[in-house]
Amino acid sequence: GAGVSQSPSNKVTEKGKDVELRCDPISGHTALYWYRQSLGQGLEFLIYFQGNSAPDKSGLPSDRFSAERTGGSVSTLTIQRTQQEDSAVYLCASSLLGRGEETQYFGPGTRLLVL
Amino acid sequence: AQSVTQLGSHVSVSEGALVLLRCNYSSSVPPYLFWYVQYPNQGLQLLLKYTTGATLVKGINGFEAEFKKSETSFHLTKPSAHMSDAAEYFCAVRGGSQGNLIFGKGTKLSVKP
């Protein structure tokens, strides 16, 4: 596609429910990043994929968070047993090879509200 | 560890006035620096970036930034503000073991008619 797409654009859920957030990177981009944007914490990095591999998951806020990427393309971020503090905008970005000088292209985000 | 500080969470200018948004970074290695803009309910859009070479970097929408190593700064400027420039601006440094971006807390720019 022309850019990074994310779905859903908005998600309202009840505390304790599981949610899945999807990211479609730019075609051909091997590097994919998840970030979270919240009022209290600003923009924080969650996880990075090179191809289907996430070498380090330590950026995920808790063990309720998990992520996968299949076929070197689509990625899913799953939050289990959601809590109110998970309310935030979840942003996905991709870049061609993951090199330092490359631009990371961002999707429009998924706005998650946990009631 | 790399970090970014943006001075001023909110900047207000008049239309046609100079825009100056400040960014200071800390990095133990030569930095890659980025400015992104975020319009309401949208993702981040790259304005410009510094990787190597010329220290004055020109970006989209008439913005530019100058990398000053001695001052560890990468301030964003635009000679004449437009109403359409009203948005939030984020400075970022490429850092972290996974090549992720480390962002400043952002500066919200308001433009008065």
Side-chain angles (χ1 to χ4, degrees):
Chain A
V4 179
S5 60
Q6 293 185 245
S7 61
S9 53
N10 291 280
K11 177 73 176 178
V12 181
T13 190
E14 294 179 348
K15 178 181 170 181
K17 300 283 190 184
D18 297 352
V19 295
E20 280 191 358
L21 313 179
R22 176 187 168 108
C23 171
D24 261 294
I26 292 171
S27 178
H29 280 195
T30 64
L32 186 148
Y33 308 81
W34 283 97
Y35 295 86
R36 180 168 72 172
Q37 185 175 25
S38 59
L39 281 175
Q41 301 298 322
L43 275 156
E44 56 178 330
F45 166 71
L46 299 179
I47 193 167
Y48 158 69
F49 286 90
Q50 179 54 250
N52 291 335
S53 221
D56 183 346
K57 300 181 181 180
S58 62
L60 294 173
S62 77
D63 58 8
R64 296 184 295 104
F65 287 70
S66 62
E68 65 174 11
R69 189 179 185 194
T70 54
S73 180
V74 171
S75 177
T76 303
L77 179 69
T78 301
I79 310 173
Q80 295 180 309
R81 305 181 303 282
T82 52
Q83 303 294 312
Q84 288 180 332
E85 62 262 28
D86 300 333
S87 296
V89 177
Y90 290 81
L91 293 166
C92 175
S94 71
S95 70
L96 184 60
L97 296 172
R99 291 182 179 160
E101 69 275 16
E102 290 174 359
T103 297
Q104 292 184 21
Y105 295 90
F106 282 80
T110 293
R111 190 173 300 269
L112 175 66
L113 178 60
V114 182
L115 301 177
Chain B
Q2 287 91 341
S3 66
V4 174
T5 301
Q6 291 184 242
L7 293 176
S9 59
H10 196 174
V11 170
S12 182
V13 300
S14 297
E15 192 172 20
L18 171 72
V19 175
L20 171 60
L21 304 182
R22 299 179 186 272
C23 173
N24 289 88
Y25 69 91
S26 70
S27 176
S28 56
V29 297
Y32 295 135
L33 295 161
F34 303 80
W35 275 100
Y36 282 86
V37 61
Q38 187 176 37
Y39 298 99
N41 299 315
Q42 293 187 27
L44 299 171
Q45 180 183 5
L46 181 74
L47 279 176
L48 49 79
K49 65 181 180 182
Y50 170 78
T51 55
T52 58
T55 57
L56 182 62
V57 181
K58 295 187 184 298
I60 62 171
N61 301 340
F63 284 93
E64 62 182 37
E66 186 170 11
F67 169 61
K68 292 187 176 180
K69 184 178 178 181
S70 61
E71 299 177 8
T72 61
S73 69
F74 191 56
H75 302 329
L76 182 71
T77 60
K78 181 174 180 177
S80 176
H82 294 171
M83 297 296 292
S84 60
D85 294 327
E88 191 156 19
Y89 293 79
F90 293 91
C91 182
V93 64
R94 176 77 178 234
S97 59
Q98 302 179 68
N100 51 286
L101 295 172
I102 297 170
F103 288 91
K105 293 197 177 296
T107 298
K108 188 165 288 188
L109 176 67
S110 301
V111 183
K112 299 174 290 188

